Amino acid sequence: MDGDLGHEIDAREIPDDWPTGYIPLRKSTPYELPRREADEGEVYRLEPALVDWAFRLTKNVALEDTPAMREQRAAMRSMRTPGRRRV
């Protein structure tokens, strides 16, 4: 799920006709839809020691795979954009 990035202006500076001070990324008014950029995304540098710790802690955890989960995955596969890379 992508909640997108945005900005929140100081409550004392919100114009009277605005319902909120939250403004989506690259926009100038509340509830204005963000413009999509090709290959847009955020990148985070992960602390290697924390990644190693998390991997060691969870590498043998069995993940449940129910018929309902398989059905959900199948539905998502049908929504993929042709030619897009999978991670």
Side-chain angles (χ1 to χ4, degrees):
M1 196 187 293
D2 182 1
D4 288 323
L5 299 176
H7 306 279
E8 186 170 8
I9 62 173
D10 187 299
R12 297 167 292 187
E13 298 176 1
I14 298 172
D16 291 336
D17 60 336
W18 284 15
T20 180
Y22 182 78
I23 305 163
L25 185 64
R26 291 185 298 282
K27 293 300 171 185
S28 57
T29 61
Y31 304 115
E32 190 175 352
L33 294 177
R35 180 182 75 239
R36 296 301 303 169
E37 300 283 337
D39 291 326
E40 180 182 65
E42 290 81 39
V43 177
Y44 302 92
R45 182 185 181 284
L46 301 177
E47 184 63 41
L50 183 58
V51 172
D52 291 341
W53 170 83
F55 176 75
R56 286 191 311 274
L57 184 67
T58 61
K59 68 180 179 179
N60 294 319
V61 172
L63 299 177
E64 187 177 5
D65 190 21
T66 66
M69 290 175 174
R70 288 189 287 276
E71 187 177 316
Q72 283 290 327
R73 275 197 311 277
M76 294 297 172
R77 272 189 216 107
S78 68
M79 295 185 334
R80 283 190 191 145
T81 304
R84 294 246 350 210
R85 293 180 307 203
R86 292 186 356 189
V87 177

XYZ file of all heavy atoms in Angstrom:
711
model
N 0.841 -1.156 0.000
C 0.000 0.000 0.000
C 0.895 1.229 0.000
O 1.872 1.287 0.714
C -0.881 -0.027 1.247
C -2.018 0.919 1.132
S -2.976 1.089 2.624
C -3.715 -0.483 2.778
N 0.558 2.182 -0.821
C 1.359 3.387 -0.924
C 0.533 4.567 -0.441
O -0.465 4.924 -1.050
C 1.780 3.586 -2.380
C 2.662 4.800 -2.574
O 2.973 5.490 -1.591
O 3.042 5.070 -3.712
N 0.944 5.158 0.669
C 0.227 6.297 1.214
C 0.716 7.614 0.657
O 0.159 8.656 0.957
N 1.735 7.582 -0.138
C 2.342 8.764 -0.735
C 2.899 9.721 0.311
O 2.549 9.676 1.471
C 1.375 9.505 -1.662
C 1.143 8.741 -2.938
O 2.105 8.134 -3.432
O 0.018 8.742 -3.432
N 3.762 10.585 -0.151
C 4.383 11.568 0.716
C 3.650 12.889 0.594
O 2.986 13.159 -0.386
C 5.849 11.748 0.317
C 6.715 10.497 0.432
C 8.112 10.797 -0.080
C 6.762 10.003 1.848
N 3.802 13.705 1.600
C 3.147 14.998 1.563
C 3.760 15.936 2.573
O 4.768 15.619 3.209
N 3.153 17.080 2.713
C 3.614 18.102 3.641
C 2.430 18.545 4.482
O 1.295 18.560 4.015
C 4.172 19.309 2.878
C 5.226 18.952 1.893
N 6.533 18.746 2.259
C 5.165 18.743 0.561
C 7.229 18.437 1.180
N 6.431 18.423 0.146
N 2.698 18.925 5.712
C 1.655 19.497 6.541
C 2.124 20.869 6.987
O 3.189 21.000 7.580
C 1.357 18.621 7.747
C 0.182 19.115 8.537
C -0.279 18.138 9.593
O 0.403 17.125 9.814
O -1.325 18.397 10.188
N 1.337 21.878 6.667
C 1.737 23.224 7.037
C 1.247 23.536 8.450
O 0.327 22.900 8.949
C 1.232 24.281 6.025
C -0.285 24.313 5.953
C 1.819 24.024 4.657
C -0.811 25.441 5.095
N 1.872 24.491 9.068
C 1.537 24.912 10.421
C 0.057 25.301 10.488
O -0.442 26.028 9.622
C 2.423 26.100 10.794
C 2.273 26.498 12.240
O 1.152 26.879 12.641
O 3.279 26.441 12.973
N -0.645 24.830 11.506
C -2.086 25.087 11.634
C -2.409 26.575 11.618
O -3.485 26.980 11.163
C -2.610 24.440 12.908
N -1.492 27.406 12.086
C -1.728 28.861 12.109
C -1.649 29.479 10.726
O -2.061 30.625 10.524
C -0.713 29.536 13.040
C -0.857 29.077 14.491
C 0.316 29.503 15.294
N 1.487 28.738 14.824
C 2.682 28.751 15.392
N 2.889 29.505 16.449
N 3.666 28.029 14.924
N -1.121 28.720 9.741
C -0.943 29.257 8.390
C -1.910 28.648 7.372
O -1.846 28.966 6.192
C 0.495 29.020 7.938
C 1.503 29.739 8.816
C 2.941 29.438 8.425
O 3.164 28.681 7.452
O 3.838 29.967 9.094
N -2.812 27.778 7.820
C -3.766 27.154 6.900
C -4.770 28.210 6.440
O -5.391 28.876 7.267
C -4.517 25.996 7.583
C -3.541 24.897 8.016
C -5.582 25.418 6.646
C -4.170 23.816 8.853
N -4.949 28.371 5.129
C -5.951 29.320 4.645
C -7.349 28.954 5.172
O -7.673 27.781 5.358
C -5.889 29.174 3.120
C -4.483 28.699 2.863
C -4.167 27.798 4.025
N -8.178 29.947 5.412
C -9.507 29.731 5.989
C -10.390 28.808 5.158
O -11.236 28.106 5.702
C -10.225 31.075 6.183
C -9.572 31.904 7.278
O -8.914 31.320 8.171
O -9.715 33.141 7.227
N -10.207 28.809 3.839
C -11.065 27.989 2.979
C -10.526 26.571 2.753
O -11.091 25.809 1.983
C -11.309 28.694 1.642
C -10.029 28.964 0.868
O -8.947 29.047 1.487
O -10.113 29.111 -0.367
N -9.432 26.201 3.414
C -8.878 24.853 3.289
C -9.414 23.978 4.420
O -9.450 24.401 5.576
C -7.361 24.878 3.376
C -6.665 25.369 2.140
C -7.215 26.045 1.092
C -5.281 25.224 1.852
N -6.246 26.338 0.168
C -5.039 25.836 0.607
C -4.221 24.647 2.522
C -3.795 25.875 0.024
C -2.972 24.681 1.938
C -2.763 25.291 0.700
N -9.771 22.719 4.109
C -10.275 21.824 5.149
C -9.152 21.224 6.008
O -9.405 20.702 7.087
C -10.998 20.730 4.367
C -10.297 20.703 3.038
C -9.885 22.137 2.776
N -7.928 21.290 5.517
C -6.798 20.670 6.208
C -5.500 21.362 5.807
O -5.473 22.104 4.826
C -6.714 19.162 5.866
O -5.607 18.574 6.560
C -6.533 18.920 4.381
N -4.450 21.098 6.541
C -3.146 21.645 6.195
C -2.255 20.615 5.527
O -1.075 20.851 5.299
N -2.796 19.437 5.226
C -2.018 18.387 4.576
C -2.063 18.584 3.065
O -3.136 18.693 2.472
C -2.561 17.005 4.944
C -1.750 15.897 4.326
C -0.524 15.518 4.866
C -2.189 15.251 3.190
C 0.239 14.517 4.293
C -1.436 14.242 2.608
C -0.222 13.887 3.161
O 0.536 12.906 2.583
N -0.872 18.628 2.453
C -0.754 18.860 1.013
C 0.058 17.724 0.401
O 1.164 17.431 0.851
C -0.051 20.205 0.739
C -0.795 21.328 1.464
C 0.017 20.485 -0.751
C 0.016 22.581 1.598
N -0.470 17.052 -0.620
C 0.274 15.969 -1.256
C 1.593 16.464 -1.876
O 1.723 17.637 -2.240
C -0.666 15.479 -2.363
C -2.015 15.919 -1.930
C -1.798 17.210 -1.195
N 2.531 15.543 -2.002
C 3.830 15.837 -2.592
C 3.674 16.468 -3.966
O 2.875 16.020 -4.785
C 4.629 14.529 -2.705
C 6.064 14.629 -3.179
C 6.900 15.417 -2.164
C 6.645 13.243 -3.359
N 4.423 17.539 -4.224
C 4.436 18.270 -5.496
C 3.097 18.917 -5.847
O 2.789 19.138 -7.012
C 4.902 17.369 -6.637
C 6.369 16.997 -6.563
C 6.827 16.195 -7.762
N 6.152 14.919 -7.906
C 6.434 13.828 -7.203
N 7.377 13.840 -6.307
N 5.779 12.709 -7.414
N 2.283 19.230 -4.840
C 1.010 19.909 -5.075
C 0.913 21.134 -4.182
O 1.744 21.358 -3.314
C -0.168 18.964 -4.816
C -0.238 17.828 -5.817
C -0.407 18.394 -7.207
C -0.272 17.350 -8.282
N -0.307 17.893 -9.610
N -0.114 21.946 -4.387
C -0.203 23.191 -3.633
C -1.499 23.369 -2.850
O -1.656 24.361 -2.155
C -0.010 24.373 -4.581
O -0.979 24.318 -5.613
N -2.433 22.421 -2.992
C -3.682 22.492 -2.235
C -4.057 21.112 -1.702
O -3.660 20.096 -2.276
C -4.843 23.022 -3.106
O -5.038 22.121 -4.192
C -4.577 24.422 -3.618
N -4.842 21.056 -0.626
C -5.271 19.761 -0.086
C -6.107 18.969 -1.105
O -6.824 19.545 -1.916
C -6.137 20.141 1.116
C -5.698 21.510 1.490
C -5.301 22.167 0.210
N -5.975 17.664 -1.051
C -6.749 16.715 -1.865
C -6.465 16.805 -3.360
O -7.155 16.191 -4.155
C -8.256 16.840 -1.593
C -8.586 16.661 -0.138
C -9.122 17.703 0.603
C -8.328 15.455 0.511
C -9.407 17.550 1.952
C -8.608 15.293 1.861
C -9.152 16.340 2.571
O -9.431 16.190 3.900
N -5.470 17.567 -3.756
C -5.063 17.588 -5.156
C -4.283 16.300 -5.403
O -3.396 15.947 -4.629
C -4.178 18.814 -5.398
C -3.881 19.097 -6.839
C -3.105 20.409 -6.994
O -2.933 21.157 -6.019
O -2.655 20.656 -8.116
N -4.626 15.576 -6.453
C -3.978 14.293 -6.701
C -2.526 14.480 -7.124
O -2.227 15.346 -7.952
C -4.733 13.510 -7.779
C -6.138 13.075 -7.391
C -6.813 12.377 -8.566
C -6.107 12.164 -6.177
N -1.619 13.652 -6.573
C -0.203 13.758 -6.961
C 0.013 13.356 -8.418
O -0.679 12.484 -8.935
C 0.504 12.769 -6.038
C -0.443 12.503 -4.941
C -1.823 12.696 -5.502
N 0.951 13.999 -9.051
C 1.348 13.656 -10.418
C 2.246 12.424 -10.332
O 3.162 12.367 -9.536
C 2.101 14.835 -11.035
C 2.573 14.600 -12.453
C 3.357 15.802 -12.981
N 4.681 15.828 -12.371
C 5.164 16.832 -11.644
N 4.455 17.908 -11.426
N 6.369 16.772 -11.127
N 1.986 11.425 -11.140
C 2.808 10.218 -11.149
C 4.010 10.420 -12.057
O 3.884 10.937 -13.156
C 2.015 9.014 -11.630
C 0.871 8.625 -10.734
C 1.261 8.280 -9.326
N 2.228 7.211 -9.277
C 2.892 6.845 -8.201
N 2.687 7.458 -7.067
N 3.759 5.876 -8.230
N 5.140 10.028 -11.570
C 6.382 10.097 -12.338
C 6.762 8.675 -12.743
O 6.506 7.726 -12.005
C 7.508 10.671 -11.472
C 7.230 12.068 -10.943
C 7.423 13.128 -11.995
O 8.161 12.880 -12.963
O 6.825 14.198 -11.852
N 7.389 8.523 -13.889
C 7.871 7.211 -14.303
C 8.905 6.717 -13.294
O 9.797 7.458 -12.892
C 8.487 7.293 -15.700
N 8.767 5.487 -12.865
C 9.688 4.864 -11.905
C 9.839 5.683 -10.623
O 10.907 5.724 -10.029
C 11.069 4.630 -12.533
C 11.012 3.559 -13.605
O 10.213 2.616 -13.429
O 11.735 3.665 -14.589
N 8.783 6.336 -10.199
C 8.829 7.116 -8.969
C 8.847 6.165 -7.771
O 8.217 5.132 -7.777
C 7.600 8.014 -8.882
C 7.579 8.851 -7.637
C 6.325 9.692 -7.574
O 5.239 9.112 -7.463
O 6.449 10.918 -7.645
N 9.543 6.551 -6.768
C 9.567 5.741 -5.564
C 10.478 6.362 -4.533
O 11.100 7.393 -4.770
N 10.526 5.748 -3.400
C 11.401 6.219 -2.340
C 12.462 5.147 -2.099
O 12.209 3.965 -2.259
C 10.613 6.450 -1.047
C 9.683 7.645 -1.131
C 8.378 7.327 -1.838
O 7.848 6.219 -1.629
O 7.903 8.163 -2.604
N 13.617 5.585 -1.705
C 14.720 4.671 -1.433
C 15.178 4.907 -0.006
O 15.320 6.049 0.431
C 15.902 4.913 -2.403
C 17.070 4.014 -2.064
C 15.448 4.697 -3.834
N 15.387 3.832 0.713
C 15.841 3.927 2.096
C 17.101 3.097 2.265
O 17.181 1.979 1.775
C 14.771 3.408 3.064
C 13.465 4.140 2.931
C 12.470 3.684 2.089
C 13.249 5.315 3.640
C 11.281 4.371 1.972
C 12.060 6.003 3.526
C 11.078 5.523 2.694
O 9.901 6.203 2.571
N 18.069 3.625 2.962
C 19.268 2.863 3.282
C 18.997 2.124 4.584
O 18.625 2.727 5.587
C 20.465 3.788 3.471
C 21.734 3.007 3.757
C 22.904 3.923 4.067
N 24.098 3.168 4.317
C 24.350 2.501 5.444
N 23.486 2.494 6.420
N 25.479 1.841 5.599
N 19.156 0.819 4.538
C 18.921 0.003 5.726
C 20.230 -0.244 6.458
O 21.270 -0.453 5.832
C 18.287 -1.334 5.328
C 16.949 -1.228 4.592
C 16.463 -2.607 4.179
C 15.917 -0.527 5.442
N 20.172 -0.232 7.765
C 21.339 -0.511 8.593
C 21.679 -1.993 8.437
O 20.884 -2.865 8.798
C 21.018 -0.182 10.047
C 22.173 -0.347 10.986
C 23.315 0.600 10.674
O 23.070 1.778 10.367
O 24.463 0.140 10.730
N 22.852 -2.332 7.875
C 23.190 -3.730 7.608
C 23.091 -4.636 8.837
O 22.599 -5.762 8.734
C 24.637 -3.660 7.087
C 24.751 -2.283 6.506
C 23.892 -1.418 7.393
N 23.512 -4.173 9.985
C 23.446 -5.012 11.190
C 21.998 -5.321 11.560
O 21.673 -6.438 11.982
C 24.161 -4.332 12.347
N 21.110 -4.361 11.368
C 19.695 -4.574 11.671
C 19.073 -5.542 10.673
O 18.282 -6.416 11.044
C 18.947 -3.242 11.658
C 17.468 -3.289 12.016
C 17.258 -3.879 13.404
C 16.866 -1.904 11.925
N 19.454 -5.412 9.408
C 18.961 -6.338 8.382
C 19.406 -7.760 8.705
O 18.608 -8.702 8.655
C 19.450 -5.921 6.980
C 19.116 -6.983 5.939
C 18.864 -4.572 6.585
N 20.672 -7.928 9.056
C 21.185 -9.259 9.403
C 20.452 -9.828 10.606
O 20.072 -11.000 10.625
C 22.686 -9.198 9.693
C 23.507 -8.908 8.454
O 22.987 -9.096 7.332
O 24.668 -8.489 8.606
N 20.244 -9.005 11.634
C 19.534 -9.451 12.838
C 18.114 -9.900 12.492
O 17.666 -10.965 12.920
C 19.502 -8.319 13.869
C 18.604 -8.597 15.021
C 18.901 -9.335 16.128
C 17.250 -8.165 15.174
N 17.818 -9.382 16.965
C 16.788 -8.669 16.401
C 16.399 -7.389 14.388
C 15.498 -8.424 16.857
C 15.115 -7.161 14.845
C 14.687 -7.677 16.063
N 17.406 -9.095 11.696
C 16.031 -9.425 11.333
C 15.978 -10.708 10.507
O 15.088 -11.550 10.703
C 15.397 -8.271 10.565
N 16.926 -10.873 9.608
C 16.963 -12.089 8.800
C 17.191 -13.316 9.672
O 16.481 -14.315 9.565
C 18.040 -11.994 7.716
C 18.178 -13.264 6.935
C 17.228 -13.618 5.994
C 19.244 -14.120 7.161
C 17.329 -14.797 5.287
C 19.359 -15.303 6.455
C 18.399 -15.644 5.515
N 18.181 -13.238 10.554
C 18.460 -14.381 11.436
C 17.249 -14.716 12.313
O 16.948 -15.878 12.547
C 19.675 -14.100 12.322
C 21.007 -14.170 11.600
C 22.193 -14.156 12.564
N 22.127 -13.103 13.572
C 22.557 -11.847 13.397
N 23.088 -11.484 12.242
N 22.468 -10.965 14.367
N 16.559 -13.703 12.775
C 15.414 -13.895 13.647
C 14.240 -14.551 12.930
O 13.486 -15.310 13.525
C 14.972 -12.535 14.214
C 13.843 -12.533 15.222
C 14.299 -13.211 16.522
C 13.397 -11.111 15.497
N 14.086 -14.289 11.640
C 12.874 -14.723 10.932
C 13.102 -15.744 9.825
O 12.126 -16.209 9.228
C 12.181 -13.500 10.306
O 13.069 -12.876 9.369
C 11.767 -12.496 11.375
N 14.338 -16.125 9.554
C 14.598 -16.971 8.379
C 13.915 -18.321 8.427
O 13.620 -18.906 7.386
C 16.099 -17.139 8.153
C 16.803 -17.954 9.207
C 18.287 -18.058 8.890
C 18.996 -18.849 9.975
N 20.407 -18.960 9.661
N 13.611 -18.847 9.598
C 12.970 -20.169 9.694
C 11.497 -20.094 10.066
O 10.891 -21.106 10.380
C 13.717 -21.038 10.701
C 15.121 -21.351 10.219
O 15.332 -21.624 9.040
N 16.083 -21.269 11.114
N 10.912 -18.912 9.998
C 9.500 -18.763 10.319
C 8.674 -19.318 9.163
O 8.854 -18.938 8.012
C 9.132 -17.282 10.561
C 7.632 -17.101 10.706
C 9.856 -16.755 11.784
N 7.773 -20.229 9.488
C 6.892 -20.796 8.466
C 5.762 -19.809 8.189
O 5.108 -19.327 9.116
C 6.322 -22.124 8.950
N 5.558 -19.501 6.926
C 4.495 -18.586 6.545
C 3.285 -19.379 6.083
O 3.403 -20.278 5.251
C 4.969 -17.648 5.433
C 6.153 -16.754 5.787
C 6.567 -15.932 4.575
C 5.814 -15.846 6.960
N 2.142 -19.042 6.621
C 0.907 -19.714 6.262
C 0.534 -19.372 4.825
O 0.782 -18.259 4.353
C -0.197 -19.238 7.213
C -1.493 -19.968 7.055
C -2.529 -19.515 8.077
O -2.265 -18.571 8.828
O -3.598 -20.117 8.089
N -0.019 -20.327 4.119
C -0.471 -20.101 2.753
C -1.810 -20.813 2.583
O -1.876 -21.982 2.239
C 0.554 -20.613 1.747
C 0.234 -20.172 0.326
O -0.512 -19.190 0.164
O 0.730 -20.806 -0.614
N -2.874 -20.091 2.848
C -4.215 -20.668 2.795
C -4.790 -20.556 1.386
O -4.294 -19.783 0.557
C -5.150 -19.924 3.766
O -5.320 -18.582 3.295
C -4.590 -19.917 5.192
N -5.851 -21.298 1.104
C -6.512 -21.153 -0.200
C -6.956 -19.702 -0.459
O -6.846 -19.211 -1.579
C -7.717 -22.088 -0.096
C -7.268 -23.151 0.865
C -6.421 -22.415 1.880
N -7.415 -19.006 0.576
C -7.842 -17.603 0.397
C -6.656 -16.728 0.006
O -6.787 -15.819 -0.822
C -8.484 -17.094 1.683
N -5.479 -16.984 0.580
C -4.285 -16.208 0.233
C -3.874 -16.472 -1.211
O -3.514 -15.538 -1.942
C -3.136 -16.556 1.170
C -3.317 -16.080 2.568
S -1.948 -16.716 3.559
C -2.256 -15.895 5.109
N -3.937 -17.728 -1.625
C -3.590 -18.071 -3.015
C -4.557 -17.386 -3.983
O -4.155 -16.898 -5.040
C -3.575 -19.582 -3.198
C -2.386 -20.241 -2.518
C -2.245 -21.709 -2.878
N -3.256 -22.542 -2.252
C -3.180 -23.037 -1.006
N -2.117 -22.773 -0.256
N -4.140 -23.791 -0.520
N -5.825 -17.320 -3.604
C -6.820 -16.655 -4.443
C -6.518 -15.154 -4.565
O -6.614 -14.590 -5.656
C -8.204 -16.866 -3.824
C -9.338 -16.378 -4.678
C -10.689 -16.691 -4.040
O -10.875 -17.812 -3.537
O -11.536 -15.786 -4.058
N -6.128 -14.540 -3.459
C -5.767 -13.118 -3.491
C -4.555 -12.878 -4.391
O -4.527 -11.919 -5.164
C -5.455 -12.609 -2.079
C -6.672 -12.351 -1.245
C -7.449 -11.145 -1.747
O -6.885 -10.189 -2.256
N -8.759 -11.197 -1.610
N -3.533 -13.735 -4.292
C -2.347 -13.581 -5.136
C -2.712 -13.709 -6.608
O -2.217 -12.962 -7.456
C -1.280 -14.609 -4.763
C -0.403 -14.201 -3.638
C 0.864 -15.022 -3.567
N 0.681 -16.462 -3.633
C 0.361 -17.255 -2.608
N 0.180 -16.745 -1.411
N 0.230 -18.553 -2.774
N -3.580 -14.659 -6.912
C -3.989 -14.854 -8.304
C -4.689 -13.603 -8.830
O -4.463 -13.180 -9.967
C -4.898 -16.073 -8.415
N -5.506 -12.982 -7.995
C -6.194 -11.754 -8.408
C -5.194 -10.630 -8.655
O -5.335 -9.848 -9.598
C -7.212 -11.342 -7.344
N -4.167 -10.538 -7.823
C -3.150 -9.495 -7.995
C -2.333 -9.732 -9.258
O -1.970 -8.790 -9.951
C -2.211 -9.444 -6.784
C -2.882 -9.021 -5.522
S -3.496 -7.353 -5.703
C -4.432 -7.191 -4.225
N -2.042 -10.989 -9.569
C -1.270 -11.292 -10.781
C -1.992 -10.788 -12.015
O -1.371 -10.293 -12.945
C -1.041 -12.796 -10.906
C 0.170 -13.266 -10.199
C 0.474 -14.727 -10.540
N 0.983 -15.325 -9.324
C 0.339 -16.186 -8.549
N -0.843 -16.623 -8.900
N 0.864 -16.641 -7.457
N -3.315 -10.887 -12.016
C -4.077 -10.465 -13.191
C -4.070 -8.946 -13.346
O -4.387 -8.435 -14.410
C -5.513 -10.969 -13.102
O -6.208 -10.314 -12.057
N -3.698 -8.205 -12.303
C -3.677 -6.742 -12.372
C -2.304 -6.192 -12.728
O -2.143 -4.988 -12.861
C -4.122 -6.149 -11.023
C -5.550 -6.483 -10.705
S -6.250 -5.720 -9.217
C -4.903 -5.395 -8.165
N -1.296 -7.030 -12.884
C 0.049 -6.554 -13.213
C 0.081 -5.866 -14.567
O -0.589 -6.275 -15.505
C 1.036 -7.727 -13.267
C 1.440 -8.203 -11.943
C 2.583 -9.177 -12.108
N 2.802 -9.847 -10.841
C 3.165 -11.089 -10.717
N 3.404 -11.816 -11.786
N 3.323 -11.623 -9.547
N 0.900 -4.857 -14.666
C 1.097 -4.160 -15.933
C 2.102 -4.970 -16.762
O 3.185 -5.268 -16.280
C 1.659 -2.748 -15.685
O 0.755 -2.055 -14.805
C 1.820 -1.980 -16.977
N 1.764 -5.313 -17.993
C 2.703 -6.076 -18.818
C 4.035 -5.330 -18.976
O 4.055 -4.109 -19.149
C 1.997 -6.184 -20.168
C 0.557 -5.949 -19.869
C 0.531 -5.032 -18.676
N 5.121 -6.047 -18.880
C 6.435 -5.461 -19.073
C 7.040 -4.852 -17.833
O 8.198 -4.440 -17.841
N 6.307 -4.764 -16.738
C 6.860 -4.192 -15.510
C 7.710 -5.229 -14.818
O 7.390 -6.409 -14.790
C 5.747 -3.743 -14.541
C 4.947 -2.624 -15.080
C 5.007 -1.328 -14.412
N 5.650 -1.199 -13.164
C 5.309 -0.329 -12.265
N 4.291 0.434 -12.479
N 5.975 -0.191 -11.158
N 8.814 -4.769 -14.229
C 9.709 -5.666 -13.506
C 9.079 -6.067 -12.190
O 8.375 -5.303 -11.566
C 11.038 -4.998 -13.227
C 11.823 -4.725 -14.460
C 13.089 -4.074 -14.080
N 12.792 -2.905 -13.242
C 13.591 -1.885 -13.080
N 14.740 -1.865 -13.663
N 13.256 -0.874 -12.316
N 9.384 -7.287 -11.768
C 8.950 -7.748 -10.457
C 10.141 -7.721 -9.543
O 11.259 -7.944 -9.951
C 8.408 -9.172 -10.548
C 7.137 -9.225 -11.309
C 6.469 -10.552 -11.319
N 7.201 -11.614 -10.670
C 6.881 -12.873 -10.710
N 5.833 -13.240 -11.387
N 7.579 -13.795 -10.100
N 9.887 -7.447 -8.287
C 10.965 -7.398 -7.295
C 10.974 -8.689 -6.537
O 9.984 -9.243 -6.199
C 10.752 -6.215 -6.331
C 11.826 -6.208 -5.260
C 10.756 -4.927 -7.106
